[in-house]
Amino acid sequence: MSEVRSQKIHRREDKVHKRIKKIGIIGAGTMGRGIAQVFALYDYPVVLVDEKETILQDALNNVKSRTEPELWNKVSGHIETSTNFEKIKDCDLIIEAVFENMDVKKEIYNVLNNVCKNDTIIATNTSGFSINKLAEAVEKPSCFIGMHFMNPPKVMKLLEVIKGEKTSENTLKSILDLSKKIGKNSAVVNDSPGFVSNRLLFALIGEALRLLEKGISDKEDIDAIMKCGMNHPMGPIELADFIGLDICRNIMTYLYESLKDERYKPTPMLESLVKEGKLGGKTGEGFYKY
Ligand code: NAI
């Protein structure tokens, strides 16, 4: 690349670094609605997009139920909802939070390639898909990055920021700067299956399930050891129920297949609970009864 062209790109990206003012969020499910709430609380205008009006209405009701009443006017005033992608065309940052499905995500990027401004940063909230693979579907991979919020986004302090091979330093700086502005502690990681958060978490959950299934201890005591002995707020088995056993199974399968590491292989008890539809807190029963 010529030096002049490279300088031009740098100048353009410097501008990006200085001005993330409006945020688009695609997908108003568990994560998208929570992320919208965080930005609105910090006075950023947000456009929240999903496929159906009913989902958007449900998202707003849910955000309202989780917002202090005195802050609701401000939060609702900052969130615009739409089923039309055109509404996000002037956003400086777009966060994709649709289903954890590679094809669905790539389809979204195809649409964004036609709708967004040239210098818009596109971020994905994927829990573990390769940022480099997803970046293949975006027009400007230098402006593509992972922003992995934890659930619930308003409560959890961490923002895991995933840098792809082609993510530019300015894109990274912009996101780290923004992360500070919304009160998050950011941690930067390179692209790798499950990043750091889910690789550590599911190594722990997998080992806890193997201890349980081998009869080394019962679930209450395994959880108590981590809570009282290691100061974890939740035990690993309780946490698996909280996350949802179907989601745990999917993430573990993905890690097992990508890393070829037995530690992540879903255990027989996890597989059978998922088959029986006992998915944890959300269905009233998982390893525990609720
Ligand atoms: P969800 O299933 O609750 O919500 C996904 C939303 O995307 C749905 O409302 C759906 O209607 C919408 N959607 C799907 N296709 C669309 C399209 N073409 N256009 C517009 N909207 C569309 O999923 P959830 O749990 O919010 O997960 C979203 C992403 O965040 C996933 O990549 C997941 O791996 C990741 N994640 C999830 C966490 C969790 O605890 N649920 C934690 C951290 C990351």
Side-chain angles (χ1 to χ4, degrees), residues 105-281:
K105 287 184 187 292
K106 285 189 168 179
E107 269 171 38
I108 300 282
Y109 306 150
N110 280 333
V111 177
L112 295 181
N113 288 337
N114 294 318
V115 171
C116 293
K117 296 182 293 178
N118 185 38
D119 55 3
T120 302
I121 295 180
I122 299 177
T124 173
N125 188 52
T126 178
S127 322
F129 281 160
S130 163
I131 299 302
N132 295 332
K133 269 234 158 62
L134 291 172
E136 287 167 9
V138 299
E139 207 165 64
K140 276 190 65 192
S142 60
C143 293
F144 186 70
I145 195 161
M147 284 177 84
H148 185 200
F149 286 85
M150 308 290 131
N151 187 20
K154 177 172 169 258
V155 178
M156 303 304 276
K157 277 269 166 216
L158 177 69
L159 179 66
E160 189 176 27
V161 178
I162 306 101
K163 202 171 162 283
E165 270 166 20
K166 296 188 177 160
T167 305
S168 73
E169 282 304 312
N170 276 299
T171 298
L172 177 65
K173 271 191 221 141
S174 304
I175 297 306
L176 296 182
D177 187 37
L178 184 67
S179 162
K180 252 189 235 151
K181 289 184 177 149
I182 57 168
K184 298 293 175 209
N185 288 341
S186 50
V188 181
V189 310
N190 286 318
D191 191 24
S192 169
F195 316 130
V196 169
S197 55
N198 278 334
R199 207 143 142 191
L200 287 175
L201 175 62
F202 285 98
L204 174 66
I205 289 178
E207 198 54 30
L209 297 184
R210 275 186 294 278
L211 289 167
L212 174 70
E213 293 183 30
K214 283 186 180 147
I216 310 287
S217 186
D218 60 28
K219 55 183 183 293
E220 289 82 3
D221 284 345
I222 294 171
D223 281 339
I225 287 167
M226 295 312 287
K227 282 191 285 191
C228 309
M230 316 295 162
N231 230 0
H232 287 199
M234 283 175 107
I237 301 176
E238 275 179 281
L239 183 56
D241 270 359
F242 176 76
I243 293 169
L245 299 186
D246 52 338
I247 293 174
C248 290
R249 185 196 168 277
N250 292 346
I251 296 176
M252 290 178 79
T253 303
Y254 174 72
L255 289 175
Y256 173 56
E257 286 171 358
S258 336
L259 298 165
K260 313 272 180 267
D261 185 333
E262 290 286 322
R263 280 181 303 177
Y264 298 106
K265 192 172 178 180
T267 62
M269 208 185 268
L270 176 63
E271 291 281 17
S272 71
L273 285 170
V274 172
K275 258 194 205 120
E276 288 170 53
K278 294 177 180 167
L279 306 180

Side-chain angles (χ1 to χ4, degrees), residues 26-32 49-51 55 85 96-100 104-105 108 125-127 148-151 247:
I26 317 290
T30 308
M31 294 307 290
V49 174
D50 208 300
E51 290 181 305
I55 299 175
F85 276 70
E96 167 275 302
V98 301
F99 306 131
E100 189 75 343
V104 175
K105 287 184 187 292
I108 300 282
N125 188 52
T126 178
S127 322
H148 185 200
F149 286 85
M150 308 290 131
N151 187 20
I247 293 174

